[in-house]
Amino acid sequence: VETVTVGAYWQVYVFIQTLFSLFLNISLVVILAMISSKPGLGFSADVGWSLFGIIVTVPIGLIGVVRRRRVTWSLIIRRMEHEEAWVETMVWIMQHGKQFFGFTNRERAALQGRFARECKAFLCNHRNATNVQNDNHWYSHWVHAITYCFMLLFGTLALIEFQRFGNGSMEVGTLYALWKVYGNVGKAMGRLTTVFVRMQHAVVSLRKMSTLLNLHDQ
């Protein structure tokens, strides 16, 4: 229930909040481009390319996370199945501890070996599922980091060109504003990635609950 509530319903609110944050940041870049433009041009090219970078970066970062959802689902399901087997054996051992005095050495060794195998299988699948979910976060992080570096590079070159030759409209305040906007966009992408990852985990739990309740899975 906690996974479904935190990973599904609450994430809808976080998703809407993050989209509104992205909208405000994009609106700020549009306003900066209009303010920084020269008379008669209507839109500053030095700031316009940064808007294009934001519009391209967010979909690319999220598409990569969504396309890996089947891999994430399969690994989470494997982890849940092996966790159930491991917990079932551990609970059985705790509830029937007195019967161990009647076991032979071979039976005790077989039970210990089974518990060790189930524990190893669970840890292996848990590590794989965790790595895939962390990879989703790192993918969106690196996509944003690449565009962030390009923004700093081209923004700095545009600032030097404006201060030395008078070409363009990039100023120190505009570059600083773009730096802050791109930082906010990176945080928003991290929150959106967390939303998608938790929703993917919640989907598995919802399907598990629907199977237990004999409900139709769409």
Side-chain angles (χ1 to χ4, degrees), residues 1-65:
V1 177
E2 180 181 0
T3 301
V4 174
T5 303
V6 178
Y9 300 113
W10 175 253
Q11 298 306 315
V12 174
Y13 168 75
V14 178
F15 179 74
I16 296 174
Q17 183 186 35
T18 307
L19 286 182
F20 183 69
S21 175
L22 284 173
F23 171 75
L24 293 179
N25 285 282
I26 292 175
S27 301
L28 178 59
V29 175
V30 173
I31 294 173
L32 286 174
M34 296 177 64
I35 294 176
S36 303
S37 62
K38 294 182 178 181
L41 296 179
F43 203 81
S44 175
D46 291 339
V47 184
W49 54 262
S50 61
L51 177 62
F52 175 77
I54 295 176
I55 295 175
V56 172
T57 299
V58 176
I60 291 177
L62 297 180
I63 288 174
V65 177

Side-chain angles (χ1 to χ4, degrees), residues 164-189:
R164 184 159 186 170
F165 303 104
N167 297 328
S169 58
M170 181 65 68
E171 298 181 0
V172 176
T174 304
L175 181 60
Y176 179 77
L178 292 177
W179 172 67
K180 293 293 291 183
V181 167
Y182 265 72
N184 293 332
V185 170
K187 295 177 182 178
M189 285 185 61

Side-chain angles (χ1 to χ4, degrees), residues 76-89:
I76 291 176
I77 291 173
R78 291 180 187 176
R79 180 178 65 181
M80 293 179 64
E81 292 175 350
H82 286 86
E83 183 179 9
E84 290 176 0
W86 173 68
V87 172
E88 182 180 357
T89 303

Side-chain angles (χ1 to χ4, degrees), residues 130-149:
T130 304
N131 288 339
V132 169
Q133 296 181 64
N134 291 335
D135 286 343
N136 291 329
H137 288 281
W138 278 108
Y139 172 77
S140 63
H141 174 75
W142 279 107
V143 169
H144 169 260
I146 292 173
T147 57
Y148 183 77
C149 292

